[in-house]
Amino acid sequence: MEDIFHLIREGNSLSFRSWVECIDNDFNLVDDHGFSLLHWACWDGHLNIVEILVNKGAKINSLNKCEDTPLHNACQNNHLNVALYLLKNKANINAVNFHGNSPLHYACHYDYQELALNLIQNGALLNKCNKYNQTPIDLCRDEFKEVLIKITQNLNIDLNRIPFRQDSSSRISRQKSKEAYFPTQQNINIDELPVEKMIATNHGGTIWKGYWQENEVSIKVLKIKESSQRIASLFNQESKRLRIFNAANILPVLGTCVSLPDLIIVSPYMNLGSLYSILHVENDLDFELDFNCLVNFANGIARGMDFLHNLEPMLLNFNLNSKHVMIDDDLTPKLNMSDCKFSFSEKVKIFNPAWMAPETLRKKTDDINKKSADMWSFGVILWELFTKKVPFGEFSPMQCGILISRDGLRLELPVNMSVHIQKLIKICMNEESAKRPKFEMILPILEKLKK
C-alpha cells in the first residue's frame, strides 16, 4: 500500500499504469488520512495519473477525513489543468469540506487568480459562506476583490450571502464512509465476521450484513448440496478469480471463509441494495429515477460487462440480471461477483429465465455464445429500467422459461418509450445471436443518450 502511494506522489505514470491494470489492485485505496490515490494525484498535480484514475472509474467526489474532495486538493495547490479536467468529469464544484470551504475559497485565499476565475466561469458560488461566515470574496486580497466585485456586477451575479449549512443527507457526504481500505487477504477467519442482521435469502444462499476490519460487509453463506474438503478446495480456488478490484463497475469478493459445513463469501456492503430492489421494491429513495439516472445505470452495467468479456480467460459463471447488480451510494452500478456460480453449484434448475436469451434455455452450455447471451440479458435490463416493470412478472419462473424457449414469448416495447431506447433494445435482443453487438459497440450509444 505504501509503495503505490509513493508511485503516485512521484508521478510515475508508467509504473502506476502497470499497477492499476492488475485486477487484484484497488484504485480506490485510501491512506490513514482518508486520502485516495486520486486525492494525492490531484494534490501533486499529476494530470496523467488523474486521467488514468478517472478513466478507470475512481470516485471523483470522494472525501478524505477533512472532507476534502480531489478538486479541493487540486485548488489548494493551484493545479488549474487538473481542476479543469475534474470539472469536465463532473466534479462537484461547490462541495464543502469540514471547515465549510469550497474549492473557490482556497483559490481566493491563496490568490490563485486564474484558477478562481475559471472556477467562477464553471459555476462556483462567490457568496457561499464557510463555517466562519466567510465567502470566497472575503478571503481575497483587496486588488483581486475589486476585480471580482466588478465581474459580479457585469454578470449580475447575486452576492447575497448563503449561510453555511452542513448537508448531512447529501450523497457526496455519504461517499466518505464507503472509501474504506479493505485488506487484500483471501482467507478470513469466521471469528472476524460479527453479524448484525439477515438481509435476504434466495436460491444461492443466505445473505447477512456484518463487519470485517471495522468495515460494513455483506456475508453470503452458500447453499450447497454437500460439504466436503474437495468442495472447500474448489471454492477457495474458484473464488480467487472473483477478487476484481480494478474495475469501477465490479463489486469484488473481498475474501472467503471456510467453516464446514459453511462456505462464506465476503463482499463490500451496498446500502441501496440491488437494482432489482430499487426498481421494483418500495423504497424511500432520496434520488430521482429520471432518464439520465437510468441511462447512467445502463452505461455502468455495460462497462462492467465489457470488462468481464475482456478478461483472459473470460469469466463464464456470471449471469446478468438486475438482481445481480448492486448500487453503490454514489449511484454506481456494480456487477456482484458473489452471485457468480461455482462449478459445484446446482446446474439443473434455472431461477431467473426472464433475463436469459432463448438459446440458453434450449441448448447445452458448451453450444452457447456467452457474450451474445449476455447482450440479450442486457436488453432485458434496458427494458426493465425504462418500464420499471418486472420482465414477465405475471409468470412463474418455470412458466416463463417454457414460454420463452418454446412458444416465442417476448417483451413488448411500450409506445411511450424513447425511440432511441427501443432501437437499442431491439439491437441487443436480436433473435440471431450472431447479430447482437458487443458491449464495446453500444457504450458510445449510451454516452450519447445522456442528457
Side-chain angles (χ1 to χ4, degrees):
M1 182 171 168
E2 290 181 359
D3 290 342
I4 187 56
F5 282 101
H6 180 71
L7 286 178
I8 293 283
R9 298 303 307 274
E10 67 180 17
N12 191 331
S13 58
L14 186 62
S15 296
F16 176 70
R17 188 181 294 276
S18 298
W19 182 91
V20 82
E21 289 301 329
C22 176
I23 66 171
D24 291 333
N25 293 328
D26 184 0
F27 54 77
N28 278 311
L29 282 178
V30 297
D31 64 13
D32 293 339
H33 301 287
F35 275 70
S36 67
L37 301 179
L38 184 58
H39 278 95
W40 280 121
C42 292
W43 179 279
D44 290 312
H46 299 310
L47 180 59
N48 48 357
I49 293 179
V50 171
E51 290 173 342
I52 294 170
L53 285 164
V54 171
N55 289 331
K56 269 290 180 182
K59 294 185 178 181
I60 205 163
N61 290 314
S62 61
L63 308 180
N64 62 21
K65 286 188 177 179
C66 291
E67 301 186 7
D68 292 316
T69 66
L71 181 60
H72 278 97
N73 296 147
C75 292
Q76 286 161 350
N77 293 280
N78 198 23
H79 298 307
L80 175 60
N81 56 347
V82 172
L84 293 176
Y85 181 80
L86 293 173
L87 292 174
K88 180 182 175 183
N89 285 277
K90 301 183 179 178
N92 186 345
I93 195 169
N94 290 306
V96 297
N97 62 12
F98 177 80
H99 301 287
N101 289 324
S102 68
L104 183 58
H105 276 89
Y106 289 107
C108 290
H109 173 72
Y110 292 115
D111 200 35
Y112 301 147
Q113 296 188 17
E114 185 181 2
L115 174 60
L117 292 173
N118 273 276
L119 290 172
I120 294 165
Q121 289 172 3
N122 280 279
L125 297 173
L126 272 163
N127 55 344
K128 192 167 187 174
C129 293
N130 62 17
K131 273 187 178 180
Y132 315 104
N133 200 34
Q134 299 167 312
T135 67
I137 287 184
D138 294 332
L139 300 177
C140 286
R141 296 178 185 178
D142 290 341
E143 291 181 3
F144 190 44
K145 185 180 295 187
E146 292 176 8
V147 171
L148 290 185
I149 290 174
K150 286 182 181 178
I151 289 173
T152 60
Q153 291 170 345
N154 292 335
L155 297 178
N156 198 27
I157 295 175
D158 182 12
L159 283 182
N160 288 323
R161 302 170 86 85
I162 301 173
F164 171 77
R165 183 170 66 91
Q166 185 68 49
D167 188 1
S168 60
S169 66
S170 70
R171 183 160 307 282
I172 187 170
S173 69
R174 293 223 307 267
Q175 286 188 36
K176 181 175 61 171
S177 63
K178 286 294 180 187
E179 293 295 313
Y181 169 63
F182 288 100
T184 56
Q185 66 193 79
Q186 163 73 15
N187 300 312
I188 301 172
N189 191 301
I190 189 71
D191 297 329
E192 299 177 55
L193 294 172
V195 170
E196 180 180 302
K197 63 180 179 180
M198 188 172 78
I199 303 170
T201 182
N202 55 41
H203 64 273
T206 305
I207 304 165
W208 305 75
K209 178 185 177 183
Y211 296 88
W212 179 51
Q213 304 286 343
E214 299 182 352
N215 298 304
E216 289 183 323
V217 293
S218 173
I219 301 169
K220 182 175 183 178
V221 182
L222 295 185
K223 284 183 181 176
I224 52 175
K225 276 190 171 183
E226 61 172 300
S227 174
S228 66
Q229 286 296 337
R230 184 185 68 84
I231 297 295
S233 178
L234 286 171
F235 173 66
N236 281 330
Q237 183 180 344
E238 294 174 22
S239 62
K240 289 178 182 178
R241 291 209 66 206
L242 309 181
R243 291 167 49 77
I244 300 170
F245 293 93
N246 73 332
N249 299 108
I250 302 294
L251 187 66
V253 167
L254 297 173
T256 56
C257 175
V258 176
S259 181
L260 295 177
D262 293 330
L263 302 179
I264 299 169
I265 299 175
V266 180
S267 305
Y269 178 71
M270 297 286 106
N271 184 57
L272 291 176
S274 69
L275 177 61
Y276 182 93
S277 65
I278 285 176
L279 293 175
H280 309 306
V281 179
E282 255 188 63
N283 293 296
D284 185 19
L285 301 176
D286 63 351
F287 59 91
E288 291 294 325
L289 288 172
D290 56 18
F291 183 85
N292 212 39
C293 177
L294 299 174
V295 170
N296 282 330
F297 283 162
N299 189 47
I301 294 167
R303 288 186 179 280
M305 292 305 299
D306 182 53
F307 178 89
L308 292 183
H309 281 189
N310 283 289
L311 283 179
E312 292 291 344
M314 183 181 153
L315 198 64
L316 297 171
N317 55 347
F318 179 78
N319 293 321
L320 178 61
N321 62 66
S322 59
K323 297 175 183 178
H324 296 170
V325 178
M326 306 302 288
I327 306 298
D328 203 348
D329 276 347
D330 63 357
L331 302 186
T332 300
K334 293 178 177 282
L335 308 181
N336 190 4
M337 293 297 96
S338 73
D339 285 323
C340 286
K341 282 191 171 184
F342 291 88
S343 61
F344 50 85
S345 301
E346 194 169 13
K347 295 181 176 62
V348 178
K349 289 187 179 179
I350 296 175
F351 297 95
N352 298 295
W355 287 267
M356 297 175 68
E359 67 269 17
T360 63
L361 299 170
R362 294 192 295 258
K363 298 179 180 179
K364 294 179 180 180
T365 304
D366 293 341
D367 298 330
I368 297 167
N369 183 320
K370 174 64 174 166
K371 292 183 178 180
S372 295
D374 285 340
M375 184 53 70
W376 178 285
S377 301
F378 180 73
V380 177
I381 287 182
L382 281 176
W383 181 93
E384 189 179 5
L385 283 168
F386 292 95
T387 63
K388 298 185 179 69
K389 295 179 181 180
V390 179
F392 308 120
E394 65 272 28
F395 300 111
S396 69
M398 181 178 289
Q399 290 173 319
C400 183
I402 293 171
L403 291 171
I404 291 172
S405 61
R406 296 183 184 177
D407 300 334
L409 178 67
R410 298 293 184 267
L411 295 169
E412 294 183 7
L413 301 178
V415 292
N416 61 344
M417 180 183 282
S418 158
V419 175
H420 301 297
I421 298 297
Q422 287 191 38
K423 287 181 179 177
L424 185 54
I425 291 174
K426 288 176 181 177
I427 292 170
C428 296
M429 301 180 72
N430 194 306
E431 291 290 334
E432 295 184 47
S433 62
K435 292 184 178 180
R436 296 172 203 155
K438 295 180 179 179
F439 281 100
E440 62 186 23
M441 297 165 64
I442 65 168
L443 284 171
I445 298 173
L446 291 167
E447 286 292 338
K448 288 181 181 178
L449 287 174
K450 291 181 181 180
K451 293 182 178 178

